[in-house]
Amino acid sequence: MRATIMHKAGDVRIETVLDAAILHPTDALIRVVRACICGSDLWPYNDMPSDGPARPMGHEAIGRVEAVGAEVRRIKIGDLVIMPFAYSDGSCMFCDEGLQTSCKHGGFFGQPDPGGAQAEALRIPLADGTLYPIDAPGDDTIMASLLTLSDVMGTGHHAALSARVAPGKVAAVIGDGAVGLCGVIAARRLGAERIIILGRHKDRLALARDFGATDVVSERGEDAVERVKALTKGEGAHSVLECVGAESAMATAIGIARPGGAIGRVGVPHYGNVAGGPRSFYDNLHIAGGPAPVRAYIDDLLPDILEGRIEPGRVFDRIVGLEDVPDGYRAMNERTALKVMVRP
Ligand SMILES: [Zn+2]
């Protein structure tokens, strides 16, 4: 089968690899119907060393189940399924608590084991716990939004929950990538009265406004902090959604959070020293967030998509076939595409 393999920074290829197959009785095999390229895929695209092992890419997908192992009970051949970016057994203590990304037997897609979703097919470990069967029309618009439930919409929602967004509050969203934009949708959905988006890309900010952002801040660093303070009577935001993952973004988050406020960070930290510094102490800030348990949020978010209340699929602005995935990486890296969908 054909699959996307990252060799080193700037070197991503579509290659013929061993066909995905059932290895364990709890596995399922899916044919990938839709996949996409994630902002976090751009980190290795920019700095993966050349001396390490190659890596299969892709952790977001909708698939059609082609085979199931002998112990799979809930998932059936022919099911259309959402594949969250982490696999999980659905039965351990952490899964019960809705934190499937900490599952005792779980792990992440886009690794040598179990493989990546930017491919024709993929083995799904712990299929009964991992996959979420959906009964949806094959409609392209709906499919785009459903695909966001495997990562970006669930991640934006996790940022909003971690930042304690609530009715009447001021939320600030750092980052105008797909997760930041989904964070705007989530903040509005949870009732934020004011939503300030921090970003610099004109088209993305226009989409953020469509999704419910009320204010735009395009300054950076200390200037951004001053601007948000000016917009909030000098107080700062109750809720800050950090959707970038750079150290500077976290510094901005701490700078614009109001005393007693909360920061939900969901950008994969691209720095070593993940801590808040003295301001987070003296301002009694709550700092939460991490890899989003998107599996837990599908129940909540799915009806809003199926009934048209939210349209996170609008973050996709380009569709490529599998052979053109490297072009998709290039476009996202050059910021000429916001988020690229893959139709194998
Ligand atoms: Zn578990």
Side-chain angles (χ1 to χ4, degrees):
M1 68 168 191
R2 305 287 282 167
T4 304
I5 308 291
M6 181 89 71
H7 287 269
K8 61 178 194 291
D11 183 5
V12 66
R13 304 177 207 164
I14 310 307
E15 297 182 347
T16 300
V17 301
L18 223 55
D19 284 351
I22 303 262
L23 293 183
H24 305 291
T26 49
D27 288 346
L29 180 72
I30 63 163
R31 172 82 25 195
V32 176
V33 175
R34 297 281 192 287
C36 48
I37 303 173
C38 184
S40 66
D41 294 338
L42 297 180
W43 292 124
Y45 187 72
N46 280 292
D47 66 9
M48 181 170 164
S50 54
D51 52 358
R55 183 182 148 189
M57 299 299 295
H59 54 259
E60 299 149 281
I62 289 177
R64 183 75 68 179
V65 177
E66 281 202 340
V68 295
E71 288 172 23
V72 174
R73 297 280 171 267
R74 207 176 51 84
I75 298 298
K76 308 285 181 221
I77 292 173
D79 281 355
L80 187 67
V81 291
I82 297 171
M83 182 201 91
F85 67 80
Y87 58 88
S88 56
D89 59 14
S91 57
C92 77
M93 165 177 93
F94 293 111
C95 285
D96 279 348
E97 291 171 11
L99 194 60
Q100 285 88 339
T101 43
S102 293
C103 175
K104 289 187 161 183
H105 306 107
F108 297 91
F109 291 102
Q111 305 292 333
D113 181 28
Q118 292 158 12
E120 288 182 271
L122 181 61
R123 179 177 73 86
I124 308 293
L126 306 170
D128 276 339
T130 304
L131 296 175
Y132 193 107
I134 44 173
D135 181 19
D139 175 86
D140 268 353
T141 312
I142 296 272
M143 285 288 270
S145 285
L146 294 174
L147 180 56
T148 68
L149 294 179
S150 72
D151 188 349
V152 289
M153 185 60 222
T155 296
H157 183 62
H158 188 57
L161 290 180
S162 300
R164 303 181 169 190
V165 172
K169 304 285 187 189
V170 176
V173 179
I174 301 179
D176 58 9
V179 172
L181 293 169
C182 289
V184 171
I185 294 175
R188 184 181 194 190
R189 191 177 165 277
L190 293 170
E193 182 178 289
R194 219 166 153 193
I195 302 171
I196 303 167
I197 175 106
L198 286 80
R200 304 171 66 84
H201 195 287
K202 201 165 141 271
D203 298 346
R204 300 177 185 191
L205 294 170
L207 190 51
R209 283 204 185 266
D210 269 11
F211 284 160
T214 54
D215 301 86
V216 168
V217 169
S218 290
E219 286 85 350
R220 274 189 174 162
E222 268 313 301
D223 294 339
V225 173
E226 289 315 309
R227 185 87 190 99
V228 173
K229 288 284 179 69
L231 288 170
T232 54
K233 295 179 285 187
E235 293 165 5
H238 299 94
S239 301
V240 182
L241 288 65
E242 199 285 274
C243 303
V244 177
E247 202 161 14
S248 57
M250 195 60 195
T252 302
I254 290 165
I256 65 178
R258 155 196 175 111
I263 295 168
R265 59 166 179 226
V266 293
V268 180
H270 204 59
Y271 50 95
N273 185 17
V274 185
R279 267 234 40 216
S280 69
F281 177 81
Y282 288 104
D283 279 347
N284 273 286
L285 300 183
H286 304 268
I287 299 180
V294 298
R295 180 67 177 73
Y297 299 143
I298 299 177
D299 275 343
D300 230 21
L301 298 171
L302 184 62
D304 281 32
I305 288 175
L306 294 178
E307 288 155 31
R309 285 185 292 278
I310 60 173
E311 289 181 289
R314 290 177 66 194
V315 298
F316 292 106
D317 57 353
R318 187 172 303 188
I319 300 176
V320 298
L322 194 53
E323 299 299 321
D324 293 324
V325 164
D327 288 339
Y329 273 82
R330 206 168 303 122
M332 277 179 64
N333 199 46
E334 290 165 358
R335 303 287 186 266
T336 54
L338 166 55
K339 190 164 176 72
V340 174
M341 184 192 287
V342 182
R343 218 162 21 189

